[in-house]
Amino acid sequence: MDGITTFELLDNNIKQAIKQTGGKPTVLEALWDGDTEGWYLLLNLYMDKGQYLRLGTVDPRLFSHEKTYPLEATLANKWGWKAVEKYGLTFYFPSDKEPDDDCPSWKDRHLGIQCADCGKLIIPKKSAHLPQDVCYNCHLTREVNEKIRTSAPVDGVYMYLWKGEVYESIGYATYFKSFNISEFVNEKVQRRMMDDVICMVTLDQQDIIELKEQLQQTIDIKLAAYKIPELDSRREKFATFKTVEYNGHQHKFLIEYNSDRSGIIDYIDSLRTAEKALLEGFVYRIFFKRKFTYREETILRFVKYVSKGAADISAINQRYVGTLSAEEVMDTLRHLEQLNCLSIYMQEARVTPLGNNIV
Ligand SMILES: [Zn+2]
């Protein structure tokens, strides 16, 4: 089906529908559909004599500089109301804020119920695991709020190159074992760990020299054994190739489902990081967050990302109204202050460098 990039194109399609059916448009319908490639917003038209026509999908390509999400919804809203003005039709867009394929079509809308939280019209999912009275999006929001209320624990590991004031992020993972260098340095790291909520382990230049050697050995062994595998037609569909330089030679790797399953490219990336550290005088700093609560995590994120590093305590209260009491917010802020993640002065909470490094 054709992508619709402008209101003019949509309008042309409506005019054509009028010509084709000899009728009058009564309802313009915008419905989400999704597959493995992502979400699509379909535009359909109902005519006064009962005909139903597919007009196309909203194609936001020309507007990709705009930042509102999802762009398709913003465009459909704009175009839909223009169509209302021009044709006096009804614009039916049941999920105009986020993708959702549980909404009924215009003709099935009598089968829908209103989401108890956001009011959106939905057809309840036939699943015993999902609540029947809210849409999927609100279900997820409820789950998050429940984690905030009950203070569920959250783990995380943040790895940086560090020199003086400079932190360069290497990566984040829930568990240390997800970093491919963990197989070489895990014992060392475990020995240096303290039993703190937030604990920092450093790998100094000597550690990095050893790490670099181990990475090189591993890459050499894996490269010697690597052959691009034969592919059947299904795997071929998800395959591309990537060429990477190592030791002055170009090596070609198979990438399937966005991943090089041999892992060699990732080892080469880790080697580059180690080489950069040695060349430019960085060390590794690894932050472990344990027994941290989801409540602390979300409030720290709110101050760091939403409030750009500093937030009025009243704004934090406002954000969690209905989920946390002002007292619970204050207790959490005090605890984050004790952990040296936030500083509190007057009525303002500010993220510290440590807080900055762990969310
Ligand atoms: Zn909802």
Side-chain angles (χ1 to χ4, degrees):
M1 207 176 340
D2 285 343
I4 300 173
T5 48
T6 62
F7 176 73
E8 285 64 40
L9 274 178
L10 171 65
D11 195 25
N12 277 342
N13 290 358
I14 296 175
K15 280 180 198 151
Q16 213 163 7
I18 294 171
K19 213 155 125 194
Q20 208 179 314
T21 61
K24 207 169 113 40
T26 51
V27 178
L28 175 64
E29 169 186 82
L31 285 181
W32 294 97
D33 196 12
D35 65 16
T36 52
E37 304 276 304
W39 286 102
Y40 303 93
L41 187 54
L42 308 166
L43 295 178
N44 307 313
L45 198 64
Y46 292 81
M47 309 297 290
D48 58 351
K49 288 175 192 134
Q51 298 102 323
Y52 170 76
L53 299 109
R54 295 186 164 245
L55 299 177
T57 57
V58 179
D59 179 350
R61 202 177 346 168
L62 301 181
F63 300 84
S64 54
H65 56 279
E66 282 193 33
K67 294 225 162 32
T68 46
Y69 177 84
L71 211 46
E72 288 89 343
T74 313
L75 291 176
N77 262 320
K78 233 184 256 176
W79 298 347
W81 291 109
K82 275 194 191 178
V84 169
E85 248 172 59
K86 185 158 179 182
Y87 296 100
L89 47 70
T90 299
F91 178 45
Y92 175 68
F93 189 7
S95 184
D96 65 351
K97 290 189 183 58
E98 70 265 326
D100 191 335
D101 57 3
D102 292 330
C103 299
S105 67
W106 171 257
K107 67 172 177 18
D108 283 342
R109 66 193 187 287
H110 61 282
L111 300 175
I113 58 157
Q114 274 194 311
C115 165
D117 288 0
C118 74
K120 181 201 295 181
L121 206 56
I122 48 163
I123 301 219
K125 278 217 190 283
K126 289 185 184 68
S127 161
H129 309 290
L130 292 169
Q132 300 297 301
D133 60 333
V134 287
C135 72
Y136 190 63
N137 197 60
C138 290
H139 161 63
L140 295 181
T141 306
R142 279 185 179 188
E143 278 195 334
V144 166
N145 287 343
E146 187 56 22
K147 282 204 268 183
I148 295 172
R149 258 194 297 272
T150 57
S151 262
V154 55
D155 285 338
V157 184
Y158 299 79
M159 191 151 68
Y160 294 89
L161 289 182
W162 172 72
K163 175 170 73 174
E165 304 268 281
V166 183
Y167 278 98
E168 279 186 25
S169 174
I170 297 174
Y172 155 80
T174 307
Y175 303 105
F176 187 49
K177 65 172 191 283
S178 304
F179 290 101
N180 63 6
I181 66 162
S182 73
E183 59 183 284
F184 310 116
V185 298
N186 191 39
E187 254 177 59
K188 226 180 254 182
V189 167
Q190 295 301 329
R191 272 202 309 273
R192 295 176 194 174
M193 286 245 266
M194 308 281 203
D195 192 27
D196 295 330
V197 175
I198 298 162
C199 134
M200 187 191 74
V201 174
T202 303
L203 297 177
D204 62 24
Q205 292 261 309
Q206 184 54 41
D207 298 320
I208 302 170
I209 290 171
E210 288 166 25
L211 170 65
K212 185 186 153 191
E213 280 165 13
Q214 285 167 309
L215 279 165
Q216 274 168 332
Q217 279 168 16
T218 304
I219 294 165
D220 290 342
I221 293 168
K222 283 189 169 271
L223 268 183
Y226 183 75
K227 264 210 304 271
I228 290 182
E230 302 256 345
L231 297 179
D232 57 33
S233 59
R234 181 171 161 71
R235 283 175 71 188
E236 205 162 47
K237 202 175 149 203
F238 295 98
T240 53
F241 294 93
K242 189 172 175 182
T243 305
V244 175
E245 196 191 291
Y246 174 70
N247 268 355
H249 295 285
Q250 300 290 328
H251 299 271
K252 192 172 163 191
F253 299 98
L254 174 74
I255 310 291
E256 268 186 289
Y257 304 96
N258 290 322
S259 111
D260 152 37
R261 293 190 182 176
S262 72
I264 302 177
I265 293 177
D266 290 337
Y267 283 114
I268 293 176
D269 276 346
S270 293
L271 178 67
R272 301 268 178 273
T273 305
E275 286 170 340
K276 175 189 161 95
L278 291 173
L279 198 68
E280 299 177 21
F282 283 97
V283 298
Y284 286 60
R285 277 192 160 179
I286 309 165
F287 294 89
F288 290 85
K289 199 167 58 177
R290 296 164 308 173
K291 293 175 259 169
F292 211 68
T293 67
Y294 194 85
R295 186 183 293 182
E296 286 157 354
E297 171 96 359
T298 183
I299 290 184
L300 191 54
R301 280 180 173 276
F302 176 78
V303 180
K304 176 178 173 180
Y305 294 108
V306 183
S307 313
K308 313 239 181 301
D312 272 352
I313 292 171
S314 61
I316 303 172
N317 280 324
Q318 191 58 40
R319 165 63 186 79
Y320 295 100
V321 88
T323 305
L324 296 176
S325 69
E327 204 184 342
E328 286 169 320
V329 168
M330 202 58 219
D331 284 348
T332 312
L333 291 175
R334 289 281 173 227
H335 192 229
L336 284 166
E337 190 182 34
Q338 276 169 18
L339 293 172
N340 196 19
C341 294
L342 283 181
S343 60
I344 301 171
Y345 180 70
M346 308 285 276
Q347 282 306 303
E348 189 187 73
R350 190 172 281 275
V351 178
T352 62
L354 178 61
N356 214 28
N357 279 338
I358 59 142
V359 284

